[in-house]
Amino acid sequence: MATGGAPFDALSSLDPETFTGESRAVISFLADYYRDVETYPVQPQALPGRLRALLPDAPPENGEPMEVILEEVRTHIVPALTHWQGPRFFAYFPMNASTAGFAGEMLSTGLNIVPFMRAASPAATELECAVVDWMGKLAGLTDRLLFSGGGGGVLHGSTCEAVVCTLAAARDRALSRLGDEGILRLVVYASDQSHCTFQKGARIVGIPRSNFRVIPTTAASGYGLTADSVRDAVEADVASGLVPLYLCATVGTTGLGAVDPVRDLGELARNHGMWLHVDAAYAGSALICPEFQHHIDGVELAESVSMNPHKWFLTNMDCCCLWVASPAALTSALSTNPEYLTNVTEESAAGAGVVDYKDWQIALSRPFRAMKLWVVLRRYGGAGMRAYVRRHVEMARWFEQALEADGRFEVVAPTRFSLVTFRLRPRHEGDDDAVDGLNRRLLVAVNGSGRAFMTHFVVDGKFVIRMAVGGAMIQMRHVQDTWELVCEKAEEVGAVLK
Amino acid sequence: MATGGAPFDALSSLDPETFTGESRAVISFLADYYRDVETYPVQPQALPGRLRALLPDAPPENGEPMEVILEEVRTHIVPALTHWQGPRFFAYFPMNASTAGFAGEMLSTGLNIVPFMRAASPAATELECAVVDWMGKLAGLTDRLLFSGGGGGVLHGSTCEAVVCTLAAARDRALSRLGDEGILRLVVYASDQSHCTFQKGARIVGIPRSNFRVIPTTAASGYGLTADSVRDAVEADVASGLVPLYLCATVGTTGLGAVDPVRDLGELARNHGMWLHVDAAYAGSALICPEFQHHIDGVELAESVSMNPHKWFLTNMDCCCLWVASPAALTSALSTNPEYLTNVTEESAAGAGVVDYKDWQIALSRPFRAMKLWVVLRRYGGAGMRAYVRRHVEMARWFEQALEADGRFEVVAPTRFSLVTFRLRPRHEGDDDAVDGLNRRLLVAVNGSGRAFMTHFVVDGKFVIRMAVGGAMIQMRHVQDTWELVCEKAEEVGAVLK
């Protein structure tokens, strides 16, 4: 129909030969990237607007060859990337890539099916049901949260989505009792260490801003919530006519890796008819090792649990497991049944007990994420994944011990998983402000070297440096080098022994 | 640290050699799939639970080779897939894969960065800002919705996410005036043809169920909304003390491809202080052709517009463009600034006018979708994409003409883009129920043949068959074969000329 390079390309965009050739070029590009990424500064020296200025104001009229595009990725884009997969990335939390995660994503992207309901692709729904049960069993969850025990799971893109969906489910369950006006009385509880997604999620689902409680934590409880402090807040709210709705317990907080006591909070939640959500976004991966499973003791009291395989489980972005004890609570808040999605050949889904995942999440369209997690679990197995997690825990402990053996530093919160939180100590009483400035300069110096990238947190008014171990490429030598780098920069910014 | 196959694999999961070998195996697998997909039944004959029964109850303890896993995809999973990329898939709406979309997704997945804010990877934010402006210009949007004109865009995963975010923005803008209790008085308007995501989105953000208005449409307006009918509803609500909040206009509805009059609705929305959202999820791709741009005449009156490149723009799942006239409305509803995300080396983002995309969406973590859309636009160019869209429009018109030339069928709504809606006609007055049964049997027969997959809709009580042209592999011969199939099955179910 059309002649000439570009239009012809778009008209035969899945020609197997072109597909193979161009895809292989991308594979080579990425293999080179993985080989070289260690040599790049982890954070780019990219002035705002620099890449933007290199890009034309409009797309090309005619298509261009893949080589030209890849060359531009190499020259324009890669130098302005923060290298999350580099072995010296210790910022935020890790976001693991792996060959298996990549292969799974390629299969999902290549098949490009949209399994919003079983009828739209039966294999995808059944694989997802199987794989969330697999993952839940590995992580030591109670059967009550698995399909095999009457609960069930779904793969979302992010914890935020899981939080919005569970908040909407809890809200609608409460409003069916209280009526619409009840929304003004619902209260959500989290700690000052909980992820900001809970506050954002509560706002998204319409909980008044003034009904979000941030319960303070202290060093005494390792920055975990105490049931007493939550109970006080809940009782005060009940006394003023409010309705406790939802309580968030975190296993492995973002700032410090703290752990809330799931059993205590679960019992409190039961007593007050609250929905308990356990957020194990990061540390959920560690739960596959029996030595960490005590952190979710009491999980049978939770209404929902979430964790992100895309953080520390070798599963490329994005993938978040959400398990719920009552799928019906979720689907009654989120289900839609327009005519264009009814199935002309099968019995109605609800009636037949079929899982239609569109009713377990925000979006209708959804990628085939189960393929990715399934390939990871098959390729590496339970033993492989445990070895992977334990290696990082070991590295983090080595770094923590190095800090403890050096009089200049202090570890701020105990390293429970693979996140180390530390700072230069004050030299004498009362120089807290000065030492904060010193720590801030230390972090800027470490990051400015391009040889590592860490982020920070503030707790009890103290500036804290976070070193999150967990990247797929990290080896012990990178952690050792980073320790040397921290010592070198500490000297540069003027840290001295007390 | 560990020896033996499986654990070792997980510990060196980005080894460039393993990565190259296993990724190439997946590429070959997919190239074979694209070569053969035409020969598979479009919808599988998969009994519920069949795949699930083939899968063990727990993941393997030891990792397995990639060949074994791919072989299992071939034997267990592919036979239970619905083949969305096959050239005989005409159901729902198309979800295009392409070599460029796949390459872009591979780059994004392989680099695996998480650009939730500029500092987390500057290139990703700047590329996204550039590419949404590119896309907006191609689609003929007003400058007011682009960064270049003071608005701006973001890449979400789905229209549903765009709807939830714009509803939350509109709601919070209203509540800042009305106070929290105002939420009980806010009203959202859509047509009986609007996508179910609007009703779901309104529920998610806490709008009372009774405050969602479904305005009826009729054949007389081609199933588009009329400003008069919306005005009547709005005025009735205002008279009873309610507050009109949000109006949805659709360009290319899901059921019939109908178009709402954007200018009329925009003026009405302005007059009543409502947020107008234009949903062009599917037909937005056609807007890149000047001959279709009259459908968004008046778009300068919209507060937001969305379209899905993952539907009909050769961009593999998932990718939804959302443009807003007022980024501040979006970010004041969705922003969070926890300490662990503040940037120790740069000025605060808000102050410096930097775009931090975490505040433009639900989730914090987000994939690097801009890379995918950028590769598609570069690889195929504006001319290539217009040729692509026009080819499908031509095919759909051919099918429509074939229907019109055959006395047994009627076209239900005019084919404005590439969606054809048709049914067998009643033979005489009053046999509507009988003809519905006939059409239902026709659809079951067509789909049961495995040689095509279409879905249905119901309008004015009539059962309608939807044939959505737009898959990447479709050629005219597939459309012609499908016409023959429809004729053959019509005969089988007993359709006769009037």
Side-chain angles (χ1 to χ4, degrees), chain A residues 170-171 173-175 177-179 181-189 207-208 211-213 233-247 272-275:
Chain A
R171 180 201 61 192
R173 194 157 75 175
L175 295 187
R177 210 172 64 234
L178 303 170
E181 312 73 36
I183 197 171
L184 301 171
R185 293 161 58 207
L186 300 177
V187 188
V188 175
Y189 302 83
I207 306 293
N211 290 7
F212 187 84
R213 302 280 170 266
V234 166
E235 288 176 354
D237 284 329
V238 171
S240 33
L242 298 177
V243 180
L245 178 71
Y246 187 102
L247 169 60
H272 287 88
M274 283 189 286
W275 181 296

Short mmCIF file of all heavy atoms in Angstrom, two decimals, chain A residues 170-171 173-175 177-179 181-189 207-208 211-213 233-247 272-275:
data_model
loop_
_atom_site.label_atom_id
_atom_site.label_comp_id
_atom_site.label_asym_id
_atom_site.label_seq_id
_atom_site.Cartn_x
_atom_site.Cartn_y
_atom_site.Cartn_z
N ALA A 170 -11.93 -1.12 52.33
CA ALA A 170 -12.24 -0.90 53.75
C ALA A 170 -13.29 0.20 53.89
O ALA A 170 -14.26 0.07 54.65
CB ALA A 170 -10.98 -0.52 54.51
N ARG A 171 -13.11 1.27 53.12
CA ARG A 171 -14.04 2.41 53.17
C ARG A 171 -15.45 1.97 52.78
O ARG A 171 -16.42 2.25 53.48
CB ARG A 171 -13.54 3.50 52.21
CG ARG A 171 -14.39 4.74 52.14
CD ARG A 171 -14.13 5.51 50.84
NE ARG A 171 -14.48 4.67 49.68
CZ ARG A 171 -14.15 4.96 48.42
NH1 ARG A 171 -13.43 6.02 48.15
NH2 ARG A 171 -14.52 4.16 47.43
N ARG A 173 -16.78 -0.96 52.77
CA ARG A 173 -17.35 -1.87 53.75
C ARG A 173 -17.93 -1.05 54.91
O ARG A 173 -19.03 -1.31 55.39
CB ARG A 173 -16.27 -2.83 54.23
CG ARG A 173 -16.79 -4.02 54.98
CD ARG A 173 -15.79 -5.16 54.94
NE ARG A 173 -14.68 -4.90 55.86
CZ ARG A 173 -13.71 -5.81 56.10
NH1 ARG A 173 -13.71 -6.98 55.47
NH2 ARG A 173 -12.75 -5.53 56.92
N ALA A 174 -17.18 -0.03 55.34
CA ALA A 174 -17.67 0.81 56.45
C ALA A 174 -18.88 1.63 56.01
O ALA A 174 -19.85 1.77 56.76
CB ALA A 174 -16.55 1.72 56.93
N LEU A 175 -18.83 2.17 54.79
CA LEU A 175 -19.93 3.06 54.36
C LEU A 175 -21.23 2.29 54.14
O LEU A 175 -22.31 2.86 54.25
CB LEU A 175 -19.54 3.83 53.09
CG LEU A 175 -18.38 4.83 53.24
CD1 LEU A 175 -18.22 5.65 51.99
CD2 LEU A 175 -18.57 5.73 54.46
N ARG A 177 -22.40 0.40 56.10
CA ARG A 177 -23.00 0.41 57.43
C ARG A 177 -23.36 1.85 57.82
O ARG A 177 -24.42 2.10 58.39
CB ARG A 177 -21.93 -0.10 58.40
CG ARG A 177 -22.40 -0.82 59.63
CD ARG A 177 -21.20 -1.42 60.39
NE ARG A 177 -20.30 -0.38 60.89
CZ ARG A 177 -18.99 -0.33 60.65
NH1 ARG A 177 -18.40 -1.26 59.91
NH2 ARG A 177 -18.24 0.62 61.16
N LEU A 178 -22.47 2.78 57.48
CA LEU A 178 -22.61 4.16 57.99
C LEU A 178 -23.36 5.09 57.05
O LEU A 178 -23.75 6.18 57.44
CB LEU A 178 -21.22 4.77 58.22
CG LEU A 178 -20.26 4.03 59.17
CD1 LEU A 178 -18.87 4.64 59.09
CD2 LEU A 178 -20.79 4.10 60.60
N GLY A 179 -23.49 4.70 55.79
CA GLY A 179 -24.05 5.62 54.80
C GLY A 179 -22.97 6.54 54.27
O GLY A 179 -21.89 6.64 54.87
N GLU A 181 -22.42 9.69 54.29
CA GLU A 181 -21.90 10.76 55.15
C GLU A 181 -20.81 10.23 56.08
O GLU A 181 -20.00 11.00 56.60
CB GLU A 181 -22.99 11.40 56.02
CG GLU A 181 -24.26 11.78 55.29
CD GLU A 181 -25.07 10.55 54.90
OE1 GLU A 181 -25.10 9.57 55.68
OE2 GLU A 181 -25.65 10.55 53.79
N GLY A 182 -20.81 8.92 56.27
CA GLY A 182 -19.81 8.31 57.14
C GLY A 182 -18.39 8.59 56.70
O GLY A 182 -17.46 8.54 57.53
N ILE A 183 -18.19 8.92 55.45
CA ILE A 183 -16.83 9.13 54.95
C ILE A 183 -16.12 10.24 55.73
O ILE A 183 -14.90 10.21 55.89
CB ILE A 183 -16.81 9.40 53.42
CG1 ILE A 183 -15.40 9.21 52.86
CG2 ILE A 183 -17.34 10.80 53.11
CD1 ILE A 183 -15.31 9.24 51.34
N LEU A 184 -16.89 11.17 56.26
CA LEU A 184 -16.29 12.29 56.98
C LEU A 184 -15.78 11.87 58.36
O LEU A 184 -15.02 12.59 59.00
CB LEU A 184 -17.31 13.42 57.13
CG LEU A 184 -17.85 13.97 55.80
CD1 LEU A 184 -19.01 14.92 56.05
CD2 LEU A 184 -16.74 14.67 55.03
N ARG A 185 -16.17 10.67 58.81
CA ARG A 185 -15.80 10.21 60.16
C ARG A 185 -14.74 9.12 60.15
O ARG A 185 -14.30 8.67 61.21
CB ARG A 185 -17.05 9.71 60.89
CG ARG A 185 -18.07 10.82 61.20
CD ARG A 185 -19.44 10.23 61.49
NE ARG A 185 -19.40 9.28 62.59
CZ ARG A 185 -20.25 8.26 62.74
NH1 ARG A 185 -21.20 8.03 61.84
NH2 ARG A 185 -20.13 7.44 63.76
N LEU A 186 -14.35 8.66 58.98
CA LEU A 186 -13.41 7.53 58.91
C LEU A 186 -11.98 8.00 59.19
O LEU A 186 -11.56 9.04 58.68
CB LEU A 186 -13.49 6.87 57.53
CG LEU A 186 -14.86 6.32 57.14
CD1 LEU A 186 -14.81 5.76 55.71
CD2 LEU A 186 -15.32 5.24 58.12
N VAL A 187 -11.25 7.19 59.95
CA VAL A 187 -9.88 7.58 60.31
C VAL A 187 -8.88 6.50 59.92
O VAL A 187 -9.13 5.30 60.10
CB VAL A 187 -9.76 7.84 61.83
CG1 VAL A 187 -8.38 8.43 62.17
CG2 VAL A 187 -10.86 8.78 62.31
N VAL A 188 -7.76 6.94 59.37
CA VAL A 188 -6.68 6.04 58.96
C VAL A 188 -5.46 6.30 59.85
O VAL A 188 -5.13 7.46 60.13
CB VAL A 188 -6.33 6.28 57.48
CG1 VAL A 188 -5.12 5.45 57.06
CG2 VAL A 188 -7.54 5.97 56.59
N TYR A 189 -4.81 5.22 60.28
CA TYR A 189 -3.68 5.31 61.20
C TYR A 189 -2.40 4.76 60.57
O TYR A 189 -2.40 3.68 59.97
CB TYR A 189 -3.96 4.51 62.48
CG TYR A 189 -5.21 4.96 63.19
CD1 TYR A 189 -6.47 4.49 62.77
CD2 TYR A 189 -5.17 5.89 64.22
CE1 TYR A 189 -7.64 4.92 63.39
CE2 TYR A 189 -6.34 6.34 64.84
CZ TYR A 189 -7.56 5.86 64.41
OH TYR A 189 -8.71 6.30 65.01
N ILE A 207 -10.74 10.28 52.14
CA ILE A 207 -10.70 10.45 53.60
C ILE A 207 -10.26 11.89 53.89
O ILE A 207 -9.26 12.34 53.33
CB ILE A 207 -9.68 9.46 54.25
CG1 ILE A 207 -9.94 8.02 53.83
CG2 ILE A 207 -9.65 9.62 55.77
CD1 ILE A 207 -11.22 7.42 54.32
N PRO A 208 -11.00 12.63 54.71
CA PRO A 208 -10.58 14.01 54.99
C PRO A 208 -9.14 14.05 55.50
O PRO A 208 -8.73 13.18 56.27
CB PRO A 208 -11.56 14.45 56.09
CG PRO A 208 -12.76 13.57 55.93
CD PRO A 208 -12.23 12.26 55.44
N ASN A 211 -8.36 13.50 59.06
CA ASN A 211 -8.62 12.18 59.64
C ASN A 211 -7.49 11.19 59.36
O ASN A 211 -7.70 9.98 59.37
CB ASN A 211 -9.93 11.60 59.12
CG ASN A 211 -11.13 12.34 59.65
OD1 ASN A 211 -10.98 13.37 60.31
ND2 ASN A 211 -12.32 11.84 59.36
N PHE A 212 -6.33 11.69 59.07
CA PHE A 212 -5.17 10.80 58.91
C PHE A 212 -4.27 11.01 60.13
O PHE A 212 -3.80 12.11 60.38
CB PHE A 212 -4.42 11.13 57.62
CG PHE A 212 -3.33 10.15 57.31
CD1 PHE A 212 -3.63 8.96 56.66
CD2 PHE A 212 -2.01 10.39 57.70
CE1 PHE A 212 -2.63 8.03 56.39
CE2 PHE A 212 -1.01 9.45 57.45
CZ PHE A 212 -1.32 8.28 56.78
N ARG A 213 -4.05 9.93 60.89
CA ARG A 213 -3.26 10.03 62.12
C ARG A 213 -1.85 9.53 61.90
O ARG A 213 -1.66 8.40 61.45
CB ARG A 213 -3.88 9.19 63.24
CG ARG A 213 -5.29 9.52 63.60
CD ARG A 213 -5.41 10.73 64.51
NE ARG A 213 -6.81 11.11 64.60
CZ ARG A 213 -7.39 12.03 63.80
NH1 ARG A 213 -6.68 12.70 62.91
NH2 ARG A 213 -8.68 12.29 63.92
N ALA A 233 -4.62 6.74 70.41
CA ALA A 233 -5.16 7.56 69.32
C ALA A 233 -6.55 7.07 68.92
O ALA A 233 -7.48 7.87 68.71
CB ALA A 233 -4.21 7.53 68.13
N VAL A 234 -6.69 5.75 68.81
CA VAL A 234 -7.97 5.17 68.40
C VAL A 234 -9.06 5.51 69.43
O VAL A 234 -10.16 5.93 69.06
CB VAL A 234 -7.84 3.64 68.24
CG1 VAL A 234 -9.20 2.96 68.14
CG2 VAL A 234 -7.00 3.31 67.00
N GLU A 235 -8.73 5.36 70.69
CA GLU A 235 -9.74 5.62 71.72
C GLU A 235 -10.14 7.08 71.77
O GLU A 235 -11.32 7.41 71.95
CB GLU A 235 -9.26 5.10 73.08
CG GLU A 235 -9.29 3.57 73.10
CD GLU A 235 -8.73 2.94 74.38
OE1 GLU A 235 -8.22 3.70 75.23
OE2 GLU A 235 -8.81 1.70 74.49
N ALA A 236 -9.19 7.95 71.54
CA ALA A 236 -9.51 9.39 71.50
C ALA A 236 -10.45 9.68 70.33
O ALA A 236 -11.41 10.45 70.45
CB ALA A 236 -8.24 10.21 71.38
N ASP A 237 -10.19 9.05 69.20
CA ASP A 237 -11.05 9.27 68.03
C ASP A 237 -12.46 8.72 68.27
O ASP A 237 -13.45 9.38 67.94
CB ASP A 237 -10.43 8.62 66.78
CG ASP A 237 -9.27 9.44 66.25
OD1 ASP A 237 -9.30 10.67 66.40
OD2 ASP A 237 -8.33 8.83 65.68
N VAL A 238 -12.51 7.52 68.82
CA VAL A 238 -13.83 6.92 69.09
C VAL A 238 -14.61 7.83 70.05
O VAL A 238 -15.80 8.09 69.85
CB VAL A 238 -13.67 5.50 69.66
CG1 VAL A 238 -15.02 4.97 70.14
CG2 VAL A 238 -13.08 4.56 68.60
N ALA A 239 -13.90 8.35 71.05
CA ALA A 239 -14.56 9.22 72.03
C ALA A 239 -15.12 10.47 71.37
O ALA A 239 -16.14 11.02 71.81
CB ALA A 239 -13.57 9.60 73.13
N SER A 240 -14.48 10.93 70.27
CA SER A 240 -15.03 12.12 69.62
C SER A 240 -15.93 11.76 68.44
O SER A 240 -16.18 12.58 67.56
CB SER A 240 -13.93 13.10 69.20
OG SER A 240 -12.76 12.45 68.85
N GLY A 241 -16.40 10.53 68.42
CA GLY A 241 -17.42 10.17 67.43
C GLY A 241 -16.87 9.75 66.08
O GLY A 241 -17.61 9.59 65.12
N LEU A 242 -15.55 9.57 65.98
CA LEU A 242 -14.96 9.14 64.71
C LEU A 242 -14.93 7.62 64.63
O LEU A 242 -15.15 6.93 65.63
CB LEU A 242 -13.57 9.75 64.55
CG LEU A 242 -13.56 11.29 64.51
CD1 LEU A 242 -12.13 11.82 64.42
CD2 LEU A 242 -14.38 11.80 63.33
N VAL A 243 -14.65 7.11 63.45
CA VAL A 243 -14.71 5.66 63.20
C VAL A 243 -13.35 5.16 62.70
O VAL A 243 -12.96 5.47 61.58
CB VAL A 243 -15.80 5.33 62.16
CG1 VAL A 243 -15.85 3.83 61.90
CG2 VAL A 243 -17.15 5.87 62.59
N PRO A 244 -12.62 4.41 63.53
CA PRO A 244 -11.33 3.87 63.08
C PRO A 244 -11.54 2.93 61.88
O PRO A 244 -12.37 2.02 61.97
CB PRO A 244 -10.82 3.09 64.29
CG PRO A 244 -11.59 3.65 65.46
CD PRO A 244 -12.93 4.03 64.90
N LEU A 245 -10.80 3.16 60.80
CA LEU A 245 -11.04 2.40 59.57
C LEU A 245 -9.90 1.46 59.22
O LEU A 245 -10.12 0.30 58.91
CB LEU A 245 -11.21 3.39 58.39
CG LEU A 245 -11.41 2.72 57.03
CD1 LEU A 245 -12.78 2.09 56.96
CD2 LEU A 245 -11.21 3.72 55.90
N TYR A 246 -8.68 1.96 59.26
CA TYR A 246 -7.58 1.27 58.56
C TYR A 246 -6.30 1.57 59.31
O TYR A 246 -6.02 2.72 59.66
CB TYR A 246 -7.54 1.86 57.16
CG TYR A 246 -6.60 1.24 56.14
CD1 TYR A 246 -7.11 0.37 55.15
CD2 TYR A 246 -5.25 1.56 56.09
CE1 TYR A 246 -6.29 -0.16 54.18
CE2 TYR A 246 -4.42 1.01 55.11
CZ TYR A 246 -4.94 0.16 54.16
OH TYR A 246 -4.12 -0.36 53.17
N LEU A 247 -5.54 0.53 59.55
CA LEU A 247 -4.27 0.68 60.24
C LEU A 247 -3.18 0.05 59.40
O LEU A 247 -3.34 -1.06 58.90
CB LEU A 247 -4.35 -0.01 61.62
CG LEU A 247 -3.06 -0.21 62.41
CD1 LEU A 247 -2.38 1.12 62.73
CD2 LEU A 247 -3.37 -0.97 63.71
N HIS A 272 -11.17 -3.19 67.25
CA HIS A 272 -11.84 -1.96 66.85
C HIS A 272 -12.42 -2.03 65.43
O HIS A 272 -12.78 -1.01 64.86
CB HIS A 272 -10.88 -0.77 66.97
CG HIS A 272 -10.64 -0.39 68.40
ND1 HIS A 272 -9.65 -0.97 69.16
CD2 HIS A 272 -11.30 0.48 69.22
CE1 HIS A 272 -9.68 -0.45 70.38
NE2 HIS A 272 -10.67 0.42 70.45
N GLY A 273 -12.48 -3.22 64.88
CA GLY A 273 -13.08 -3.38 63.56
C GLY A 273 -12.31 -2.67 62.46
O GLY A 273 -12.89 -2.27 61.45
N MET A 274 -10.99 -2.50 62.65
CA MET A 274 -10.19 -1.83 61.62
C MET A 274 -9.60 -2.84 60.64
O MET A 274 -9.33 -3.98 61.00
CB MET A 274 -9.01 -1.09 62.27
CG MET A 274 -9.38 0.22 62.92
SD MET A 274 -7.88 1.11 63.41
CE MET A 274 -7.38 0.14 64.82
N TRP A 275 -9.34 -2.39 59.45
CA TRP A 275 -8.64 -3.17 58.43
C TRP A 275 -7.15 -3.02 58.69
O TRP A 275 -6.64 -1.90 58.71
CB TRP A 275 -9.01 -2.59 57.07
CG TRP A 275 -8.42 -3.27 55.87
CD1 TRP A 275 -7.09 -3.35 55.55
CD2 TRP A 275 -9.13 -3.93 54.81
NE1 TRP A 275 -6.93 -4.03 54.37
CE2 TRP A 275 -8.17 -4.39 53.88
CE3 TRP A 275 -10.48 -4.16 54.55
CZ2 TRP A 275 -8.51 -5.07 52.71
CZ3 TRP A 275 -10.82 -4.84 53.39
CH2 TRP A 275 -9.85 -5.29 52.47
#
